[in-house]
Amino acid sequence: MTNDRPFGGALDLANSRLGGKAVAASDDFFAAKERINDPADPVFIADKYDDNGKWMDGWESRRRRDAGHDWCVIRLAARGRLLGAEFDTRHFTGNYAPAAQLEGCVSDSEIPGADAVWTPLTPAITLNGDERREVAIEADAPVTHVRLNIYPDGGVARLRLFGVPDIDWSARDAGERMDLASALNGARVIACNDEHFGRLANILAPGRGVNMGDGWETRRRREPGADWGLIELARPGRIEEILIDTAHFKGNFPDRCSLQAIGGADVPAEALIAQSLFWPMLLPEQKMTADAEHRFTSKILSHEPVRYIRLNLAPDGGVSRLRLFGRAS
């Protein structure tokens, strides 16, 4: 069972699959800035070189010969309040950045201009090579961009920026139909029993899956039962349409899927896991097919506003996306 998630299951707002993007850097001579927010784990390929030298899976600047420092600006997938960051220097050993600091700003531009006001989000943090380090962020103000400063130069494999989308719900029409399971609307993963081949959080991402790795896939089940994942919706609401997408899953899609759901207030993850087996059914078991979108409206059972969802995969397999269209209560 996997329910130990960074910063309470907060969303990685730097994730390129969600729309996060490295938009500017002082230098990326050895490794392109765009790799720093790839959601996949960094890899090392021993014999891979390009025109500038050793190929590295991350962002890496050249060796500085002055008193300055290098930086990279990331536009978040959504304006949000950051709770923490992960500095990942895996595979960077003699070429990692010795120290780093984060700053944030709010800007309507793709690349913040010279008038942008950058506010420190963390102090300068000492980094080591080939490690993953989580750092809490205590700033309350939402930001749209984050600047990673490294001192003085070097490489960082990945930067993950965990937070909560800052949505002005008062400005939204109470009757607006929306995807209540969208990560960019604030939906989040709570726990699941297995994510051996793919993360449950992937199914809340925008767009269709880009490949089989861009979805939730469990191991092959060799015992009775079904695999399951728990999700907290962006807002409690009534569900009008369900979409379960098995894009790219052909020999490994679930035979059947079902959804259970319940309302309620804040409940610890451990209690939700224990209770979820007995939640009311929202969508009875439905047959799945390979590499297809499955839409359900008339099969949805009558329900009060729901906040928590349990997606069951019988007996196991992979799902690319889950969409729960409805109206927030």
Side-chain angles (χ1 to χ4, degrees):
M1 183 168 60
T2 60
N3 65 331
D4 182 16
R5 298 174 187 277
F7 305 100
L11 187 65
D12 176 12
L13 293 172
N15 187 324
S16 61
R17 285 183 188 158
L18 296 181
K21 183 180 180 182
V23 295
S26 57
D27 182 86
D28 58 356
F29 183 84
F30 283 117
K33 63 185 183 298
E34 289 80 8
R35 297 174 196 157
I36 198 170
N37 55 341
D38 187 334
D41 284 340
V43 299
F44 182 77
I45 304 175
D47 58 352
K48 185 171 182 177
Y49 292 83
D50 58 26
D51 290 342
N52 288 342
K54 181 70 185 75
W55 183 91
M56 294 296 292
D57 190 8
W59 167 52
E60 185 182 359
S61 64
R62 73 188 80 199
R63 302 187 188 211
R64 292 192 75 93
R65 304 307 188 195
D66 57 33
H69 71 275
D70 288 317
W71 51 266
C72 178
V73 174
I74 295 173
R75 186 206 67 210
L76 301 182
R79 174 186 167 115
R81 294 180 292 107
L82 296 179
L83 305 176
E86 182 188 75
F87 298 91
D88 186 344
T89 59
R90 278 179 289 179
H91 311 302
F92 286 85
T93 53
N95 55 344
Y96 62 92
Q101 184 222 7
L102 298 179
E103 299 174 297
C105 80
V106 174
S107 174
D108 293 329
S109 302
E110 177 84 347
I111 303 174
D115 59 343
V117 178
W118 292 94
T119 302
L121 299 175
T122 69
I125 305 294
T126 300
L127 301 181
N128 297 309
D130 201 28
E131 72 167 6
R132 302 172 70 175
R133 181 171 181 184
E134 292 181 0
V135 175
I137 294 175
E138 298 181 356
D140 291 330
V143 296
T144 59
H145 294 73
V146 169
R147 183 164 64 191
L148 167 63
N149 298 312
I150 58 173
Y151 303 100
D153 56 33
V156 176
R158 299 288 189 269
L159 176 66
R160 298 178 179 88
L161 299 169
F162 298 102
V164 179
D166 183 58
I167 298 171
D168 183 5
W169 290 99
S170 65
R172 291 200 175 193
D173 180 1
E176 178 184 353
R177 189 173 187 266
M178 67 180 69
D179 178 7
L180 294 172
S182 167
L184 294 183
N185 284 334
R188 70 181 184 97
V189 164
I190 297 171
C192 63
N193 72 305
D194 183 83
E195 42 190 6
H196 188 88
F197 293 111
R199 303 284 288 177
L200 176 59
N202 291 338
I203 70 174
L204 310 183
R208 295 200 75 189
V210 297
N211 54 41
M212 202 170 70
D214 186 18
W216 173 40
E217 184 183 1
T218 63
R219 76 199 190 292
R220 296 188 186 215
R221 175 173 282 271
R222 304 304 190 192
E223 65 276 356
D227 290 326
W228 54 266
L230 302 186
I231 295 162
E232 181 179 10
L233 299 182
R235 299 283 277 187
R238 288 184 171 85
I239 308 303
E240 299 174 353
E241 181 182 4
I242 296 170
L243 185 150
I244 301 174
D245 190 354
T246 58
H248 308 292
F249 290 96
K250 298 175 182 177
N252 52 350
F253 60 94
D255 181 64
R256 306 173 308 282
C257 283
S258 66
L259 287 171
Q260 296 166 263
I262 198 168
D266 293 336
V267 179
E270 291 74 14
L272 288 170
I273 293 168
Q275 298 166 0
S276 64
L277 182 63
F278 307 102
W279 289 352
M281 194 65 67
L282 178 68
L283 178 72
E285 274 195 347
Q286 305 294 322
K287 285 286 287 185
M288 295 288 107
T289 57
D291 194 26
E293 291 184 331
H294 306 78
R295 293 181 181 272
F296 306 100
T297 54
S298 61
K299 301 280 181 75
I300 299 173
L301 301 180
S302 177
H303 60 281
E304 294 299 313
V306 296
R307 178 177 180 182
Y308 301 106
I309 297 290
R310 173 174 165 134
L311 170 61
N312 302 301
L313 311 182
D316 54 29
V319 168
S320 177
R321 294 291 187 268
L322 174 68
R323 305 278 184 243
L324 299 174
F325 298 103
R327 302 176 198 277
S329 299

